[in-house]
Amino acid sequence: MNYRLPAPFPPVILDDVRGAQKMLAGVARTTPMEGSRHLSALVGSPVHLKCENLQRTGSFKLRGAYVRISGLSPVEKAAGVVAASAGNHAQGVALASSLLGVRATVFMPVGAPLPKVAATREYGAEVRLHGQVVDETLAAAQEYADRTGAVFIHPFDHRDVIAGQGTVGLEILEQCPEVRTILVGVGGGGLAAGVAVAVKALRPDVRVVGVQAAGAAAYPPSLAVGHPVSVDEPVTMADGIKVGRPGDVPFEIVRDLVDEVRTVSEDALSSALLLCLERAKLVVEPAGASPVAALLSEPEHYQGPVVAVLSGGNVDPLLLQRILRHGMAAAGRYLSLRVRVADRPGALAGLLGVLSVVDANVLDVSHLRTDPRLGLTEVEVELHLETKGPEHCTAVAAALREAGYPVLA
């Protein structure tokens, strides 16, 4: 992505973040911090979840958007603001603008989830659907800004936005003064940069670790060469951190203050989302679950107490359904297999009887009778089962083989 930026800004410092915190008083919530027994046992030290998914608009984005728009001149506010986003930034800009009495226009991709489009409108913004991908949406928003004079509110590449996001770091130090490691998801880098500015100024001994989805990890190669580079066609379910290029402003801060940036797989993301839902009773989007995914992937890597920032909870219900299925499969909670049985009455009932004995819940059954590899009196049955974990999957397959059923890969 190519973003047109104003002239270079002075560095973001602790005083900027403290000023943003005062500005956000009564606007952004001080979000709760919840302990996680499961993750604490896994890591071997206390793990706390910073619940920005419970922030107004469902993510941390309100913080930076409000600080950025508050800092506009009266002339700029009168011209209105424009933003481009598939979800969280759109809602943050919409609510911030409404609270400040500024007209907001938000461009969203044509395929943006309907709940996010509806929420952005309800917060007071005019929504315009344009483009199939975010790059096209950003270009449309920039063209609108050039044509109308509206101020373009970037999702992460501005010092005021970074200062606003940094208030998350101040809250973490207030709520968990004994923290040793903070994990935060990274897309363009605004949240990680802001948290690092606040935390490193007050507690340089605390490690700040960024987490990216492996399929959209632009920071590791950028840090390796010393400047932002793009990842072609980033692919991940975590749309909140699906950014092809680090922001110029946050990159310098991340390079200087963030201790490391790690990557997580799609399986880890879906497992983390499932864990947040089942164990913590928290609805978290894939990007927000990325720090938990890092803990699940390498729990021994992090010195505690650990704080994982759950950056957002705006997940489309249809996507949530798919992710939960994927997460359950990754956790060994689903088992799909094929079995050959005799093509005669009662054969399927016998097969299902074996599954009943081993307490496997049958979700779906399908028959195949036309494969030339099958004998004249054979039928292949494909089963989708709900199981209790990897050990149960192994036990189910073993029980079928012991009963004389050939289990096919």
Side-chain angles (χ1 to χ4, degrees), residues 52 65 146 175 255 264 307 322 372 404:
E52 280 296 291
D146 294 341
Q175 294 170 312
R255 180 193 61 200
V264 293
V307 172
R322 294 197 298 270

Side-chain angles (χ1 to χ4, degrees), residues 107-350:
F107 285 78
M108 304 182 76
V110 172
L114 293 179
K116 294 184 178 182
V117 174
T120 303
R121 286 187 172 129
E122 289 171 8
Y123 286 128
E126 177 189 350
V127 174
R128 300 192 181 191
L129 301 178
H130 183 93
Q132 299 298 323
V133 296
V134 175
D135 275 351
E136 296 173 354
T137 308
L138 282 164
Q142 187 67 65
E143 186 278 331
Y144 178 89
D146 294 341
R147 176 167 49 83
T148 66
V151 179
F152 181 69
I153 305 298
H154 198 283
F156 49 80
D157 222 347
H158 194 283
R159 65 186 310 276
D160 289 347
V161 172
I162 293 170
Q165 321 304 28
T167 59
V168 174
L170 293 181
E171 289 180 16
I172 290 173
L173 295 183
E174 292 166 1
Q175 294 170 312
C176 186
E178 68 278 13
V179 63
R180 297 302 303 274
T181 304
I182 298 173
L183 288 95
V184 56
V186 179
L191 178 60
V195 168
V197 167
V199 170
K200 290 296 186 177
L202 296 169
R203 287 282 306 281
D205 60 303
V206 174
R207 287 181 61 79
V208 178
V209 179
V211 183
Q212 289 206 290
Y219 263 92
S222 297
L223 292 169
V225 299
H227 59 82
V229 297
S230 297
V231 171
D232 294 332
E233 299 182 3
V235 177
T236 177
M237 69 176 76
D239 58 348
I241 53 175
K242 186 180 176 181
V243 178
R245 181 186 184 277
D248 292 323
V249 180
F251 175 80
E252 295 186 5
I253 299 171
V254 171
R255 180 193 61 200
D256 295 341
L257 297 181
V258 172
D259 293 280
E260 61 176 323
V261 176
R262 304 181 71 81
T263 62
V264 293
S265 68
E266 298 297 285
D267 280 351
L269 286 168
S270 57
S271 296
L273 187 149
L274 182 62
L275 184 144
C276 289
L277 186 62
E278 285 192 323
R279 298 298 184 95
K281 314 305 178 190
L282 293 168
V283 177
V284 182
E285 62 189 276
S290 58
V292 175
L295 290 173
L296 292 177
S297 300
E298 294 183 279
E300 72 285 351
H301 185 75
Y302 307 100
Q303 182 180 6
V306 176
V307 172
V309 180
L310 307 182
S311 58
N314 292 318
V315 56
D316 178 57
L318 295 177
L319 175 62
L320 178 61
Q321 185 179 44
R322 294 197 298 270
I323 292 171
L324 289 178
R325 285 199 301 264
H326 185 83
M328 290 182 74
R333 302 272 295 279
Y334 283 145
L335 174 62
S336 297
L337 48 80
R338 293 178 294 121
V339 178
R340 286 185 183 175
V341 301
D343 190 8
R344 58 177 174 76
L348 180 60

